[in-house]
Structure formats: C-alpha cells, structure tokens
Amino acid sequence: MGEDSRRGPLEALFDDERERHGHAYFNAFRRRLRWRLLVAYVIPLILLAAFFHYQYSATMEEGINNHLKSVAENQRNTVDLFLQERASNLRNTLRTGVLSVPPRPGEIERALGDLRLDSPAFADLGLFGPDGVLVSYAGPYTDLLGRDYSREEWFQQLRTHGKDFLISDVYLGFRGKAHFVIAVRRAFEGRIWVLRASLDPEKFEEFVRSSHLVKEAEAFIINGRGERQAFSGRETGPAFGPAEVPHYTSYTHVSVADARGHKSLNGVAWLNENNWAVIVRVPRDRAFAPLRRVTLVLGLVVAAALALIVVLVERSSRKLVDRLEASDTDKEQLRRQLFNAAKLASVGEMSAGVAHEINNPLAIIHEEAGLLKDLLDPQFGQEFNPAEFRERLGAIIEATFRGRQITRNLLAFSREHDPALERHDMNAVLEGILAFKDTEFRVSNIELKKELADVLPAVLVNRNQMEQVLYNLFNNARDAIGRDGRITVRTRQVDREVQIDVEDTGCGMSDEQMEKIFFPFYTTKKVGKGTGLGLSISYGIVRSFGGRIEVKSKVGEGTTFTVALPIREKEARTAGRERPADMEASDG
Amino acid sequence: MGDNIRIMIVDDEERFLNTLAQRLRLRDFDVAAFSNGQEAVEAARSREFDLAIVDLKMPGMTGEQVLEIIKNERPLTEVIILTGHGSIPSAVHCTQVGSYNYLQKPCETDELLEVLKNAYQRRVQKKLKIDQEKMEKMLDTSLGESPLGILRRLRDIDKG
C-alpha cells in the first residue's frame, strides 16, 4: 500500500524530528545565519572595492605615465629644436662668409653679435685653425687665444665625427665656469677649420625650466652616463642609481627610479641631436597622492558599509530567528494542545468504560456488606461466626482496592502530558496496559496471546504518551474483533529498533481505509464511538520518539499494527523535568 | 419470604455470585448459582426455574445469549438482568428479547427483592392464566369422559 503517500502530509502535521528544537539550537542557528549573511554581503563588497581600486590606480598610472611622456617629448622636441637652430647658426656663420678664413680683425666680434641676435645663449665664439690652435676669439676669455686644442677630446671627436657638428656635455673646461659648446667644422681648400661657440647654460636651463607643464615635476637633462647636466652649476652628479640609468631608446618611456630613497617616476625622452635625454621627474608618492585620497575615501566608505551590514545582519538575523523560534514554540504548543484534546476525548471514551468497571467492585462491597448485615439480623437467626466475618470484611477491602486501581489508571491516563523522554522497557509498559485491559478482553471473550521478547533494550519514550498509543491500538483491536477473537502482542528487537506488534483477528480493513486511518478525524467507528483522532495522534507521538507505525491488514482476516521505536545511545533529547518513572497517581 | 422460589443466578464475578446467592438463601429462596452462561443454560434445560438473575458481560456465553435461550426454551421463567455495564441500547435490546427487568450493579437489596417478588407474581399469574386456559380447554374437550380421566388430565396440567 502507499506508505509514502500516506506519510507525506502526515509528516507535515506531526514530524517533529525537525520541529522540537531548544533555545540552544536557535542560538547556534542564529550564529550560523549571521556568519553566512555576513560572508554573502561582505565578500562581494570587498571584491568590488578591490576591483574599483585596481582599475582606478591602473587608469591613474596610465594617465600619469602618458602625461610624463608627453611632457618629456615636448621638452625634448624643444631642446632638439634649440640645439639644431644653434648648430645651423654656426654653420651659416662659416658658410655665408660672415667670417672669412682666416678672419679679418673685427669679423669675429661681428659674427658673435649676429649670433646673439638669434639667441642670447651664445656666450663666446672661437675659430680654430686646422692645427687646433684658437686663432680668433670673441667673448670674455680672450686669454684663450693661441691655445692649442688639438688634444682636447671634443676637438678630436669633431674631426673624426660623421656629423659636421658636435655638442658637448656641460663642463668647466679651462675657464672654470660651467658651459657647453657647439662646434661645427668646415673644410676650406682641403683643411678643416672649426667654429666653436660656448653657450651659457643658465640661459639654456631657464629655457628648459620655463616649459614646465607638470606641477610638482622637475625637468632636467642628463648625459649618456646618467649625469645630470648642471647648467647653473647646481645639482651636479648622477641623477640615477648605476643600475637605473636609462638606456637610449628611440621612443619616450617612463621608468621608476630610486633617487635618494624616494621612488620617482621619470619620463625619459632622448634627444635626436645629442646624446642627452630630457627627464621629467615626479616623486611617485606625489604623483599618486590623488590615488591615496581615493583609497582613503574608498576605505572609509567600505568600512561604513561593513558596519552597516554588520548591524543590519545582526538585527535581521535576530529578528528572523526570534520569529522562527516563536512560531516553533507556537507549533509545539498547538501540537500539545492537539494531543491533550485527543487524550481528553479518549479519557471521555474511557471513563464510560471505567464507570462501568467500577460497578463490579461496588456491587461486591454492597452484597458483602448486605450479607454481614443479614447475618447480624435476628430475623434470619444466624449464629455469629467471627471467621466468616473477617473473611467477608477482607473481601470488601479487596474490592475497594480493585475500585481504587481503576480510578488510578484513569487518573494516570488523563494526567497532563509531560514531554520528558525516558528509557522504558516496552515489555513492562505493555504489561501495565494489559493488566488494565485484561478483564475487558476476558468479558468480550477475546483471548490475549503474549509473545514478548525475553530481553528488550529500553527505548527513549514518554511513558504516558506511549501508553496512550498502546491503549489506542488495543482499543482498536478490541473494536475490530467485537467478540470472540484473539489479540496477539509481540515484542522483538530488529537491528536498532524495538518493534511491537498488536495483531487482531478482527474485521480487517480495505486498502482504501488503510490509506486514511492515520489522518485526523477519519474513523470507521459508529458516530459517538470514536473521534478519529486516536491513530493520528498515535502516529504523531511515535514520530516524536523517532519511530514509526506500520499497518498490515486483510478484510475478514485481521489487522496488525507495528510500532517501531529506535534504540538510541544518547541520553534524553528533551531536557525534561524530573518525574517519577512509575505511574503512581496521587490518591487523595 | 422467598417461599422456596426457584431462582438461578448467573455471574462471572464469583465473589458477587456466591454472596448474593447466600443472601437470597437466607431469605428462603431456592438458589442455584452459575459462574458462566453455558452451565446456566444446561441447568435451565434440565429443570424449571421460576426466576433468573443474569449478568451481561461474561466470558464465553454472554448474558444476552443466556436470556434469549431461556426465553425461547422456558418462556415462563422471568429473567432479570443485573449488570455493571448498563446502557440504554442494551436495556432496550434485553427488554425486547423478553427480560422482566434491567437492573444496574450495585443494586439495593430491597429493590432487588421487590423486583424478584413482582417477577414471581407475574410468573405465577402467567402460569395461572395458562393453567386456566388449559383447564377450560380440557373441560371443553372432556365432556362425557370418565371422572378418573379428568383427574388424570388435571394432574398433567399441574405438572406442565
């Protein structure tokens, strides 16, 4: 039959494997929920912030680099152009005959004057003969006249150079003042003459500095060895560490260099006209100052968001779990109310039977007492026999005990249920119930057959509820039989379960009926005979013990209900109040 | 007061059965006590009882079955039901089947004795009525018979 189809909706009603949770469970649940929510919110937030930060810094770095490059390029072009112009000034001076070879007196002064019109940077002008001797000079250092420059490096370089001009690095030279020179050569009648001009580096540097485009940035020129060209006599020496000297490249690039402990960004553009490079340098921390501000703001925003998330998650998880716990408590209360209602219904059914049952001992008491009265009545003329009196009074006392036992059982059954689970031997529980049902079965001519296991492990149940379940099954068996039949009770251990069979030789059930018997308010009994709650409540009770109820039935042959209860190692699940394990009712 | 009225008591509660029997004997009833329905029915078949006090819920044969058999086989025996498990449907059923009265345990002695007395009177009246009818019938049919034959018939009536 449809075991599973029957269990589905019933589990929704009764399954409290899930439902009966303590406060500690909800606290643990709240902690788990809180962590999961935090992780779910915080990780994306941090990832997003990190991604944003990375993107922003990458964009910013690219922007800074491009800017440095373009500034360096502009400077380079300007410087290149300047140097080209100065070189062609000199070339023109030689070519156009402004200066004759060898020059006539006054000519060279005139030539310098012309050159200064083009650029005030020209400091002096000298003409060297083919033997390297300065033959003509205009400028402040006239004592240089007649000196032999043939062994000077620049002179030799220019003589052997592929290009017809040469630009020197900045140097002090004979005159002890920082300067650099531009020299051009020209052959006259097969002999090479050289025209050289010194350029005032201060003027040149002013020019380089005047083209600053970047705030915080400094621009300067280095030679091929990475030495800073100190036009104004300041800041000489290497501008780069030995490993960091930028090599010549035809393109402009940005390098990171460590200058005196501070990282700096250097836009590097090599000149076309000379082995010089324009460097636009900006300290790295200055360049990235806006990024630090953005990082700070981002950090603050993320921290604020985190704080907000923590507060919200804490509040919402608390609220949610409180609500869950409240609804769980409500559900548990409803369930208990249902159980109690069902039990009251059974108590009602039972008390009718019990009221009758109690009539028998009462009738005995009545008759025994009546007889004693008769025996003392002179009209019957009986002799006083103390032994008989004692015997009959004993019978009366015994009958009152019988009556008390009946009321006790009823009280025990109707007592408010206490959910504490304790270990009980099912055989003992069964014997208790059967002692109570024995007379009832006997007068209905129902044979009771007990096939109880010799040894049965104790199972964790609430005794009161378990008795309710068994009482219910026996009542159903009795009602199914009516009169003349047999009820067989079996107990056994199967794996980790204790199983109890209640088998009757009654009318049996159709499959259709079997599908419905565990549903509340379904009954096959006559109106007023059954509430239809017994089996559904029993099912709920057994499930709350972690067990199950199964049914096998055949119309006309009988029905077997099997209650299976798990054998558990662990101690009582519900922290119940202490209660005596026996069924002693207070007898007032 | 019992005037040796022949009465059977059927009850599975032996203590109750024997005590009630003894009390009725003290009152001069001729009591036979049975602790189960089967024995009671057998006894009723073998001899006539004036009255029967029958419990309902008993192992084996129930009180209802005993009542039915007695009323079928001994219609003049008046049956009084005395039960601890009284209910209206059961009372209605027993009355329809022919019980004289339906009493609930515990029953007051005076009430029980009153019921027994009335039941016996009814039995006596019924018997009288039947005897009378028989006598009339006999007288009708025996006109012209010898006085000795009439006497013989009268003796038969008294026996029956």
XYZ file of all heavy atoms in Angstrom, chain A residues 342-393:
400
model
N -6.990 15.238 22.124
C -7.257 13.862 21.730
C -7.307 12.971 22.954
O -8.128 12.058 23.043
C -6.178 13.376 20.791
N -6.422 13.273 23.906
C -6.394 12.425 25.083
C -7.668 12.611 25.909
O -8.233 11.643 26.403
C -5.168 12.735 25.923
C -4.972 11.674 26.968
C -3.590 11.684 27.508
C -3.387 12.980 28.237
N -2.034 13.075 28.747
N -8.105 13.885 25.983
C -9.342 14.108 26.724
C -10.487 13.342 26.073
O -11.339 12.785 26.761
C -9.666 15.597 26.791
C -8.831 16.353 27.813
C -9.205 17.814 27.823
C -9.022 15.744 29.201
N -10.471 13.333 24.732
C -11.505 12.583 24.031
C -11.426 11.112 24.423
O -12.441 10.473 24.716
C -11.360 12.748 22.530
N -10.189 10.569 24.449
C -10.056 9.162 24.820
C -10.449 8.964 26.277
O -11.025 7.936 26.630
C -8.632 8.658 24.653
O -7.953 9.427 23.731
N -10.111 9.964 27.100
C -10.484 9.848 28.506
C -12.001 9.783 28.618
O -12.548 9.000 29.398
C -9.923 11.038 29.313
C -10.567 11.094 30.683
C -8.432 10.906 29.447
N -12.664 10.583 27.795
C -14.117 10.552 27.791
C -14.639 9.162 27.441
O -15.468 8.591 28.138
N -14.064 8.613 26.343
C -14.458 7.274 25.935
C -14.207 6.276 27.050
O -15.022 5.394 27.331
C -13.598 6.832 24.742
C -14.150 7.189 23.386
C -13.101 6.913 22.322
O -12.637 5.766 22.229
O -12.723 7.852 21.597
N -13.012 6.456 27.653
C -12.589 5.506 28.649
C -13.427 5.575 29.903
O -13.759 4.560 30.500
C -11.159 5.860 29.035
C -10.204 4.757 28.839
S -8.646 5.402 29.380
C -8.408 4.402 30.792
N -13.727 6.835 30.293
C -14.368 6.964 31.595
C -15.730 6.280 31.599
O -16.168 5.788 32.638
C -14.485 8.432 31.976
O -15.165 9.111 30.965
N -16.364 6.199 30.429
C -17.626 5.470 30.369
C -17.375 4.018 30.752
O -18.074 3.437 31.590
C -18.220 5.561 28.968
N -16.341 3.433 30.133
C -15.997 2.049 30.429
C -15.598 1.879 31.880
O -16.020 0.929 32.548
N -14.834 2.845 32.360
C -14.333 2.735 33.727
C -15.466 2.846 34.737
O -15.505 2.135 35.737
C -13.263 3.809 33.963
C -12.969 3.949 35.432
C -12.005 3.441 33.216
N -16.417 3.754 34.430
C -17.544 3.910 35.342
C -18.251 2.573 35.506
O -18.667 2.201 36.600
C -18.511 4.952 34.800
N -18.363 1.860 34.393
C -18.995 0.545 34.475
C -18.124 -0.431 35.223
O -18.582 -1.198 36.054
C -19.274 0.013 33.067
C -20.412 0.711 32.423
N -20.467 1.000 31.086
C -21.566 1.195 32.950
C -21.574 1.628 30.808
N -22.276 1.763 31.925
N -16.839 -0.374 34.919
C -15.912 -1.318 35.516
C -15.931 -1.191 37.046
O -15.823 -2.175 37.757
C -14.505 -1.025 34.957
C -13.533 -2.179 35.028
C -14.105 -3.452 34.443
O -14.535 -3.440 33.260
O -14.135 -4.446 35.174
N -16.105 0.042 37.487
C -16.063 0.276 38.925
C -17.338 -0.244 39.604
O -17.370 -0.465 40.813
C -15.851 1.787 39.191
C -15.019 1.983 40.451
C -17.159 2.529 39.330
C -14.444 3.365 40.535
N -18.392 -0.490 38.816
C -19.631 -1.021 39.393
C -19.443 -2.423 39.968
O -20.121 -2.793 40.926
C -20.726 -1.080 38.326
C -21.316 0.287 38.080
O -21.276 1.144 38.960
N -21.858 0.497 36.899
N -18.544 -3.194 39.367
C -18.365 -4.570 39.830
C -17.829 -4.646 41.246
O -18.469 -5.290 42.086
C -17.501 -5.356 38.845
C -18.305 -5.718 37.601
O -19.508 -5.996 37.710
N -17.675 -5.677 36.448
N -16.689 -3.972 41.552
C -16.274 -3.996 42.959
C -17.304 -3.366 43.887
O -17.487 -3.840 45.002
C -14.953 -3.206 42.948
C -14.836 -2.576 41.626
C -15.679 -3.346 40.683
N -17.979 -2.328 43.376
C -19.004 -1.713 44.232
C -20.112 -2.718 44.557
O -20.604 -2.799 45.693
C -19.609 -0.484 43.550
C -18.759 0.778 43.560
C -19.488 1.908 42.829
C -18.455 1.189 44.991
N -20.500 -3.504 43.561
C -21.563 -4.495 43.772
C -21.121 -5.541 44.785
O -21.911 -5.977 45.635
C -21.905 -5.159 42.436
N -19.831 -5.920 44.710
C -19.315 -6.893 45.673
C -19.400 -6.309 47.078
O -19.896 -6.948 48.009
C -17.874 -7.283 45.328
C -17.868 -8.122 44.056
C -17.224 -8.050 46.475
C -16.491 -8.365 43.487
N -18.924 -5.055 47.198
C -18.962 -4.416 48.518
C -20.391 -4.373 49.046
O -20.680 -4.701 50.192
C -18.377 -2.984 48.417
C -16.880 -3.057 48.125
C -18.639 -2.201 49.695
C -16.274 -1.728 47.710
N -21.288 -4.013 48.146
C -22.693 -3.902 48.540
C -23.229 -5.227 49.051
O -23.857 -5.305 50.098
C -23.509 -3.416 47.344
C -24.952 -3.223 47.670
N -25.903 -4.188 47.429
C -25.616 -2.189 48.249
C -27.081 -3.757 47.820
N -26.926 -2.526 48.332
N -22.952 -6.274 48.301
C -23.511 -7.576 48.675
C -22.856 -8.131 49.933
O -23.529 -8.696 50.799
C -23.368 -8.579 47.522
C -24.200 -8.225 46.291
C -25.637 -7.830 46.626
O -26.261 -8.425 47.536
O -26.138 -6.876 45.981
N -21.518 -7.961 50.035
C -20.827 -8.465 51.221
C -21.340 -7.741 52.463
O -21.646 -8.376 53.484
C -19.305 -8.285 51.100
C -18.663 -9.102 49.991
C -18.589 -10.589 50.318
O -18.990 -10.991 51.427
O -18.145 -11.369 49.437
N -21.427 -6.423 52.343
C -21.906 -5.652 53.491
C -23.341 -6.040 53.826
O -23.712 -6.191 55.001
C -21.791 -4.152 53.190
N -24.150 -6.229 52.783
C -25.541 -6.643 52.983
C -25.619 -7.976 53.699
O -26.428 -8.167 54.624
N -24.736 -8.874 53.273
C -24.760 -10.206 53.891
C -24.384 -10.126 55.370
O -25.018 -10.757 56.217
C -23.793 -11.140 53.153
C -23.755 -12.588 53.675
C -25.134 -13.237 53.589
C -22.723 -13.404 52.949
N -23.331 -9.300 55.650
C -22.936 -9.154 57.059
C -24.096 -8.620 57.881
O -24.347 -9.067 58.997
C -21.720 -8.213 57.168
C -20.418 -8.746 56.557
C -19.312 -7.691 56.649
C -19.982 -10.039 57.250
N -24.803 -7.684 57.288
C -25.961 -7.120 57.969
C -27.020 -8.217 58.208
O -27.555 -8.346 59.290
C -26.543 -5.990 57.117
C -27.325 -4.962 57.902
C -27.719 -3.817 56.965
C -29.083 -3.281 57.365
N -29.706 -2.557 56.254
N -27.214 -9.007 57.174
C -28.184 -10.107 57.275
C -27.793 -11.059 58.398
O -28.629 -11.493 59.190
C -28.229 -10.907 55.976
C -28.862 -10.104 54.849
O -29.452 -9.029 55.147
O -28.735 -10.513 53.679
N -26.468 -11.358 58.438
C -26.007 -12.338 59.417
C -26.218 -11.843 60.843
O -26.355 -12.630 61.762
C -24.528 -12.667 59.193
C -24.211 -13.434 57.894
C -22.717 -13.609 57.708
C -24.916 -14.800 57.872
N -26.192 -10.500 60.980
C -26.411 -9.949 62.321
C -27.892 -9.719 62.623
O -28.252 -9.391 63.738
C -25.649 -8.615 62.454
C -24.124 -8.721 62.413
C -23.505 -7.329 62.391
C -23.615 -9.500 63.616
N -28.702 -9.894 61.557
C -30.142 -9.607 61.712
C -30.819 -10.778 62.438
O -30.778 -11.911 61.951
C -30.753 -9.417 60.320
C -32.114 -8.750 60.401
O -32.786 -8.935 61.440
O -32.473 -8.049 59.434
N -31.420 -10.505 63.611
C -32.023 -11.628 64.362
C -33.100 -12.357 63.558
O -33.305 -13.560 63.761
C -32.633 -10.952 65.588
C -32.286 -9.501 65.502
C -31.621 -9.217 64.230
N -33.713 -11.659 62.622
C -34.827 -12.306 61.896
C -34.380 -13.523 61.092
O -35.162 -14.396 60.769
C -35.543 -11.304 60.988
C -34.832 -11.030 59.706
C -35.699 -10.162 58.759
O -36.581 -9.438 59.184
N -35.442 -10.269 57.490
N -33.009 -13.515 60.719
C -32.538 -14.675 59.968
C -31.977 -15.752 60.888
O -31.628 -16.830 60.437
C -31.449 -14.260 58.956
C -32.009 -13.351 57.897
C -31.609 -12.047 57.797
C -32.969 -13.837 57.008
C -32.126 -11.216 56.834
C -33.486 -12.987 56.036
C -33.070 -11.675 55.947
N -31.806 -15.370 62.203
C -31.400 -16.348 63.211
C -30.078 -17.009 62.936
O -29.935 -18.226 63.134
N -29.109 -16.269 62.437
C -27.817 -16.872 62.133
C -26.887 -16.754 63.322
O -26.906 -15.766 64.054
C -27.164 -16.161 60.931
C -27.941 -16.326 59.651
C -27.939 -17.757 59.159
O -26.884 -18.370 58.981
N -29.133 -18.316 58.946
N -26.017 -17.696 63.428
C -25.036 -17.637 64.509
C -23.881 -16.743 64.084
O -23.462 -16.734 62.924
C -24.500 -19.039 64.809
C -25.405 -19.811 65.733
C -24.790 -21.149 66.093
O -23.541 -21.253 66.091
O -25.594 -22.073 66.360
N -23.342 -15.983 65.059
C -22.204 -15.093 64.779
C -20.939 -15.913 64.611
O -20.541 -16.645 65.495
C -22.053 -14.078 65.912
C -20.892 -13.173 65.727
C -20.880 -12.256 64.675
C -19.800 -13.236 66.577
C -19.810 -11.417 64.504
C -18.716 -12.399 66.400
C -18.728 -11.482 65.360
N -20.352 -15.804 63.434
C -19.150 -16.583 63.121
C -18.021 -15.614 62.769
O -17.956 -15.106 61.643
C -19.452 -17.513 61.949
C -18.242 -18.344 61.563
O -17.135 -18.098 62.051
N -18.462 -19.300 60.698
N -17.119 -15.331 63.755
C -16.096 -14.293 63.524
C -15.230 -14.581 62.311
O -14.857 -13.677 61.573
C -15.260 -14.322 64.804
C -16.101 -15.018 65.816
C -16.983 -15.957 65.079
N -14.925 -15.831 62.079
C -14.050 -16.170 60.940
C -14.709 -15.745 59.632
O -14.084 -15.142 58.758
C -13.772 -17.671 60.937
N -15.994 -16.050 59.510
C -16.709 -15.675 58.282
C -16.743 -14.155 58.140
O -16.560 -13.621 57.048
C -18.128 -16.226 58.309
C -18.819 -16.013 56.965
C -20.262 -16.486 56.933
O -20.770 -16.945 57.968
O -20.856 -16.381 55.846
N -16.950 -13.464 59.257
C -16.975 -12.009 59.216
C -15.658 -11.442 58.714
O -15.624 -10.580 57.847
C -17.309 -11.443 60.615
C -18.770 -11.125 60.764
C -19.707 -12.148 60.702
C -19.206 -9.828 60.941
C -21.043 -11.865 60.824
C -20.553 -9.537 61.053
C -21.480 -10.554 61.002
N -14.578 -11.996 59.284
C -13.258 -11.489 58.865
C -13.052 -11.714 57.365
O -12.601 -10.836 56.635
C -12.153 -12.190 59.649
C -11.804 -11.491 60.957
C -10.424 -11.900 61.418
N -10.272 -13.328 61.579
C -10.697 -14.002 62.682
N -11.272 -13.345 63.673
N -10.537 -15.300 62.772
N -13.467 -12.903 56.942
C -13.265 -13.244 55.537
C -14.042 -12.269 54.633
O -13.544 -11.767 53.649
C -13.708 -14.691 55.322
C -13.185 -15.321 54.031
C -14.171 -15.173 52.886
O -15.409 -15.046 53.169
O -13.741 -15.163 51.731
N -15.281 -11.994 55.042
C -16.138 -11.143 54.200
C -15.659 -9.678 54.244
O -15.697 -8.991 53.237
C -17.584 -11.246 54.640
C -18.088 -12.673 54.480
C -19.529 -12.772 54.109
N -19.871 -14.157 53.833
C -19.816 -14.688 52.612
N -19.459 -13.957 51.585
N -20.122 -15.959 52.415
N -15.215 -9.238 55.437
C -14.685 -7.875 55.514
C -13.431 -7.751 54.642
O -13.214 -6.734 53.969
C -14.375 -7.500 56.964
C -15.640 -7.255 57.806
C -15.275 -7.139 59.285
C -16.370 -6.007 57.338
